[in-house]
Amino acid sequence: MVSLRSPSALPVVGVLVDGRTYRHLLYLLLAIPLGFVYWTLSSFGITFGLVLSVVLVGLVILLATLIGARIAAGFERWLANRLLGTDLDRYDDVPDDTDGAVAGVRKYVDAASTWRGVGFLSLKFFVTVLAFLLLVALVNGLSLVLAPLRYPYVATFGESNGEPVTWAIDTLPEALLATAIGVVSVLVALHVTNLVAYVCRQMATALLGEPTADEEASSETSASVEESAPDDETLPPGSDEFVPADAVEPDPNDDSVRDERGA
């Protein structure tokens, strides 16, 4: 029988045809502008909020920053569910009914989900840096892959000590070598993309929400099935376990047994 193996399950190169890879890549590409916006707004809110905390406007800015962090965390939870494969629901740690404006403000400050969201958004800055480096690696790698169609040309890889780092590709052997290097660069970048996405998924699971009821129910069902499974020592009927002959009691209705006793 011939077994058909999914192309995405192939080692090393399967990442090229795995749809999850491109969802992860989209997540990291979105992290670049989002991380910049989160960092700018949070820095502005915390800095000016602390400076102006001696007056009422500073406290309002700090509170607005916390509320904005909760909204951003909710959006990040939605992104993680759509692109990272999580199934998270928001934390239910903010009471619905409060008496007075002060109690309404305090419920968000006291909620652990608020500070978890702030922690996630702070870590998102490092994800933004990694996403930018991966984007640069992919662009340069794809440029080299297309070298046989573009040469002669000069490939630019950034700057070093104020001088541009370039590679003049003038011949076909150089273009073929550039293609091989580009393919390796793209594969490495995509594998690192999946690794970074895995870290982001773990971050989202720990800081942005809790599994939905359906996922918890399925986990409990699988656990109950495992608990109710028979032990390995219990053998089903018709088992091939060896039983000594002297351990089996003879059947009194068996004719052969009566003949042996009569003899």
Side-chain angles (χ1 to χ4, degrees):
M1 180 182 293
V2 178
S3 61
L4 298 178
R5 188 177 184 182
S6 175
S8 62
L10 295 174
V12 183
V13 297
V15 70
L16 292 172
V17 294
D18 192 347
R20 293 173 299 180
T21 299
Y22 298 98
R23 290 195 295 270
H24 297 165
L25 183 60
L26 177 59
Y27 180 86
L28 294 183
L29 291 179
L30 291 175
I32 297 175
L34 289 175
F36 176 77
V37 171
Y38 297 155
W39 180 260
T40 301
L41 294 180
S42 62
S43 300
F44 172 84
I46 294 175
T47 301
F48 283 90
L50 292 177
V51 170
L52 301 176
S53 60
V54 293
V55 293
L56 181 61
V57 66
L59 299 178
V60 173
I61 293 175
L62 288 175
L63 177 61
T65 302
L66 289 180
I67 299 300
R70 287 187 62 89
I71 295 174
F75 177 69
E76 287 292 330
R77 181 173 58 250
W78 179 82
L79 274 183
N81 289 339
R82 295 298 181 273
L83 300 178
L84 297 183
T86 59
D87 191 11
L88 303 175
D89 197 1
R90 65 182 182 88
Y91 290 110
D92 189 15
D93 59 349
V94 178
D96 296 330
D97 298 330
T98 53
D99 297 331
V102 176
V105 171
R106 185 175 179 179
K107 69 179 182 180
Y108 292 109
V109 178
D110 291 342
S113 58
T114 299
W115 303 104
R116 287 173 177 166
V118 171
F120 180 89
L121 297 180
S122 300
L123 293 174
K124 195 67 181 282
F125 172 75
F126 300 99
V127 176
T128 301
V129 175
L130 291 175
F132 179 78
L133 295 177
L134 287 172
L135 177 62
V136 172
L138 281 173
V139 171
N140 289 330
L142 291 174
S143 176
L144 292 178
V145 168
L146 300 176
L149 303 177
R150 302 177 57 190
Y151 83 98
Y153 82 104
V154 177
T156 304
F157 304 102
E159 295 184 357
S160 177
N161 297 325
E163 296 294 332
V165 179
T166 61
W167 180 14
I169 303 174
D170 299 324
T171 63
L172 180 58
E174 288 181 330
L176 295 177
L177 176 61
T179 297
I181 296 175
V183 169
V184 173
S185 300
V186 170
L187 288 174
V188 171
L190 292 180
H191 279 286
V192 175
T193 295
N194 286 336
L195 178 60
V196 175
Y198 170 78
V199 174
C200 292
R201 182 164 59 247
Q202 298 303 108
M203 288 167 44
T205 302
L207 299 174
L208 292 182
E210 52 191 1
T212 58
D214 294 338
E215 184 175 350
E216 291 179 351
S218 61
S219 300
E220 293 176 357
T221 301
S222 60
S224 62
V225 170
E226 292 178 358
E227 291 177 357
S228 61
D231 296 337
D232 294 339
E233 298 177 355
T234 304
L235 297 175
S239 174
D240 295 333
E241 182 188 16
F242 174 75
V243 180
D246 55 357
V248 179
E249 295 183 0
D251 187 357
N253 297 324
D254 192 349
D255 295 337
S256 61
V257 174
R258 290 198 299 266
D259 294 340
E260 289 178 0
R261 290 178 178 176

